[in-house]
Structure formats: structure tokens, C-alpha cells
Amino acid sequence: MSKAPHHGPDHWPRRLVATTPVLPILIVAAIVLVDLICGSGMTWLPLLAVGPALAATTNGPRGVLWVGLLAAALGAILGIRDQVGDRDLAVVLAAVLAVTLAGSLASALRGRRERVLAAVRSVAEAAQHALLQPVPATVGPFQVAVRYSAAAAEARIGGDLYALVSTPYGVRLIVGDVRGKGLPAVGTAALVLGVFREAAYDEPDLLAVVARIERSLARNLGNDDFVTAVVAGYPREGQLEVVNCGHAPPLLVRDSVVVPVEPDRPAPPLGLRTLSGESPALQVLPFCDGDQLLLYTDGVTEARDHDREFYALADGLARHTSDEPVRTVTALHDELLAHVGGRLHDDAALLLLRMPDAAVPTAPRAASDAGRIGSCSP
């Protein structure tokens, strides 16, 4: 049987200190002190209303009432001491009490909004975990790391999408970016990820997985909506399949050299195939021990600093590449935030795959082969 939490004898003093409207009380005390020193009566007494007004922004209704009553009581004492007329003193006290009541109401409404916002954040976090499911540190033969930041910080979720699953046909993954922001983009991202996760298990051919997503989007998206995406698969040892649908090219790291994986044949984003008539092509890359592949969204490469300079992702990846994908992605994410001054203006996702080094060392590759996509044989 669980026991009720035990609060020590010093619990209530700490709670009292935490909830006491210290600053409003200090302001009221300062006004009283000035009045005592100057003895100017009506000159300072109206400022006592500042106390409950400030308390309304920092404390709950009870704290506002305490500050207001304190200010009114001190105002009455000072008014009598300074021989303020009854009518003038009544006006001052009425103003203090009116501000106190209005502040209490405003404080109650603020507290309600904060509780609603906290509930919305909680729901958004649950939705994000359902939509963008956590990716384990290892999937199949790969080491994996993911970092995601939504531009709408309060929502913590946006239109970028990613998923990585282990299937009977090898590890498959998708990284994409939905046109637009907000709830419509989230709905489209959920649709794409749902179709991808189902098709990735059902379809032996990676192009068939892409075709399933395309057909679903064609039925559900508007004419101006689309999704850029890279879909990849690892069907057999040493071989990586990539289908790029209008998305930024992934970055391949081989022998500490960063090379963009440009598509052999450019294809339109998902949802626009019927308008262009072009189909995506399957690109096959060697992917061997120590190789890494970074997939990302345009919120990373289009992030600008105060001088309107874009973030150079390839250069950053070359600086921060390590044998630990988590460390690499964390360093890139921190550098990206520093580049933009701490706040992203678009959703940004980073997903890094790394093929662990083989237990048996291989002969070093020739310098002329370093960084080439075409071969990874020793």
C-alpha cells in the first residue's frame, strides 16, 4: 500500500516563502517609506495600487488579495497620519481595492490559461511520441541518432517527419518535410508516416513503398500540397538504396570526407507526380564499415544568422564527425542553434546512420578513392 508523502516540519515555511508576493510587498513598503519621509499625503498614496497590480502578474488571486488589503490598510493609516481629507482618502482606498479585485480576476484567468497551455503541451508531447516514435540507438546493423526541433516551441511538433523501421526486407527509413506548418502539416506528416510504416513491411521493392505513399497523398492532399522526402533502405550487406523525391540530398561521410548524395534523376515531391508525370528513380550506393549518412530537412540548411548567412551543414558535419552518432548530431544541433541565435524559424530534423567498423581491420583505401560514392571496397 502506498503511503502519503511525508512533509517535514520545514515544508510549510518553504512553501510560504515560494508563494509570498515579495516584490509587490517591497514596492508597497517603499511607497510607505517615501510617504513617511516626505510626509506629502496625496502625492504618494495613489501609488499603493501598484502593489496589487504587480502581484496580479506574478501571483495567484490569494496573493493579490493579501497585497491589496495590506496596501489599503497602510494607505488608510498614512492618510489619517497625513491628515488627508476624507473624500480624497476614500477615493484612494477605492482605487486600491478596485485594482485589487481586477488583479485577482486577471490572476485567476492567467492561471487558467497557464493550466490549459500546460495541458496542450502535454497532449502535443504525447502526439509527438505517437507520430515521431523514439528511435533506438541501434537499428539492425546501424548506429542511429536523431534530433528534432519544432519552430513552434510551445507545440513541440511540426511538419517535419522521420521514421526508421526494421523490416523483412532490411532497415528502411524516411525523412521528409511537409509544405506548410501547423495542424494541417502535422496531419499530412501523420498520413505519410502511417503509410510508410505499413508499406515498408509489405513491399519488397523500395520504389513500391514510395508509390504507396504517392497514391495515398494523391487521394488526400490538395493541389498545392506536397511532401519532399528521402526514402532509403538497406536490403543487403554493403548496399544502400535511396529514393529522393524533391528533398535535400543526404550527406555521405566516408573516410572523413563529406559528399552530397545527389539524385541520378531529379524527381518531384510526393503528391505532385500526377502533375509532372515523372517517376522517382532508385539510386544504389555502397555503404560499408565506418560510413555515415546524414538525412535532414530544409529547416537546417535554410537557417540564417543575423547576417542572413545560411548554416553550412556539410562544413559542420565535417567538423563534428565522430564514431558516436549521438555526439555528432548533438554538436550539429547546438551549432545550428548558436548560428540562428537560439531560436529556429522552421522545423529542423537531423537523422544520422552509421555502419559500425568491422572487428577485423581492413587495408586503408587509396587517397584517390576517399570520399567517392561509387566504391567502398578496400
Side-chain angles (χ1 to χ4, degrees):
M1 179 182 295
S2 61
K3 297 181 179 180
H6 173 71
H7 300 304
D10 62 340
H11 174 74
W12 70 266
R14 289 201 306 267
R15 183 177 178 184
L16 180 62
V17 171
T19 57
T20 300
V22 177
L23 183 57
I25 290 177
L26 290 178
I27 290 178
V28 171
I31 295 171
V32 171
L33 180 62
V34 171
D35 185 87
L36 289 174
I37 294 174
C38 298
S40 50
M42 284 295 295
T43 302
W44 298 104
L45 290 184
L47 294 179
L48 290 171
V50 173
L54 179 61
T57 66
T58 58
N59 295 90
R62 184 177 299 179
V64 178
L65 287 174
W66 278 112
V67 174
L69 293 175
L70 176 64
L74 293 175
I77 295 173
L78 292 176
I80 295 173
R81 172 187 175 276
D82 297 334
Q83 296 181 351
V84 175
D86 293 343
R87 182 176 179 180
D88 292 338
L89 181 58
V91 170
V92 170
L93 296 180
V96 171
L97 293 175
V99 171
T100 299
L101 293 176
S104 299
L105 178 60
S107 176
L109 293 176
R110 176 178 55 82
R112 181 179 179 182
R113 287 194 298 269
E114 289 176 351
R115 290 190 294 271
V116 170
L117 180 58
V120 169
R121 286 178 173 174
S122 177
V123 171
E125 288 180 346
Q128 184 183 34
H129 282 293
L131 179 61
L132 303 177
Q133 297 175 359
V135 175
T138 57
V139 179
F142 299 115
Q143 298 172 293
V144 187
V146 176
R147 287 301 296 265
Y148 174 81
S149 296
E154 285 75 15
R156 305 184 186 180
I157 193 168
D160 286 3
L161 58 95
Y162 62 83
L164 191 148
V165 294
S166 183
T167 75
Y169 312 106
V171 174
R172 286 176 169 175
L173 64 99
I174 183 173
V175 171
D177 188 359
V178 179
R179 177 184 178 272
K181 296 181 177 68
L183 289 178
V186 174
T188 302
L191 173 64
V192 172
L193 290 176
V195 176
F196 168 77
R197 290 183 177 122
E198 181 180 358
Y201 281 93
D202 294 342
E203 303 290 349
D205 186 359
L206 192 65
L207 283 174
V209 176
V210 176
R212 286 265 294 268
I213 300 174
E214 178 69 39
R215 288 194 300 270
S216 180
L217 290 178
R219 291 192 301 267
N220 293 281
L221 291 188
N223 294 332
D224 297 331
D225 296 327
F226 58 85
V227 180
T228 66
V230 172
V231 183
Y234 190 74
R236 58 191 62 87
E237 185 177 355
Q239 190 176 94
L240 189 70
E241 298 178 342
V242 178
V243 180
N244 193 325
C245 300
H247 199 74
L251 298 177
L252 176 68
V253 183
R254 177 173 297 158
D255 296 332
S256 300
V257 178
V258 179
V259 182
V261 183
E262 299 287 352
D264 294 333
R265 189 178 72 201
L270 296 167
L272 297 182
R273 186 187 303 184
T274 56
L275 299 179
S276 66
E278 299 179 5
S279 299
L282 184 70
Q283 189 173 5
V284 180
L285 309 174
F287 200 72
C288 304
D289 299 331
D291 287 352
Q292 303 187 51
L293 188 73
L294 178 67
L295 299 97
Y296 53 94
T297 58
D298 59 10
V300 179
T301 53
E302 294 181 2
R304 297 173 182 257
D305 61 11
H306 295 299
D307 297 325
R308 308 299 294 169
E309 295 290 334
F310 292 110
Y311 176 64
L313 178 60
D315 295 340
L317 181 58
R319 283 192 299 271
H320 298 297
T321 296
S322 69
D323 293 341
E324 300 178 15
V326 172
R327 187 171 66 182
T328 301
V329 171
T330 299
L332 287 174
H333 185 264
D334 293 344
E335 188 174 83
L336 175 65
L337 291 180
H339 180 80
V340 299
R343 177 66 184 272
L344 293 170
H345 298 288
D346 194 7
D347 304 330
L350 295 162
L351 189 153
L352 181 63
L353 295 179
R354 182 178 184 273
M355 179 65 70
D357 296 315
V360 179
T362 58
R365 291 169 223 158
S368 60
D369 286 339
R372 292 175 53 190
I373 299 178
S375 173
C376 67
S377 58

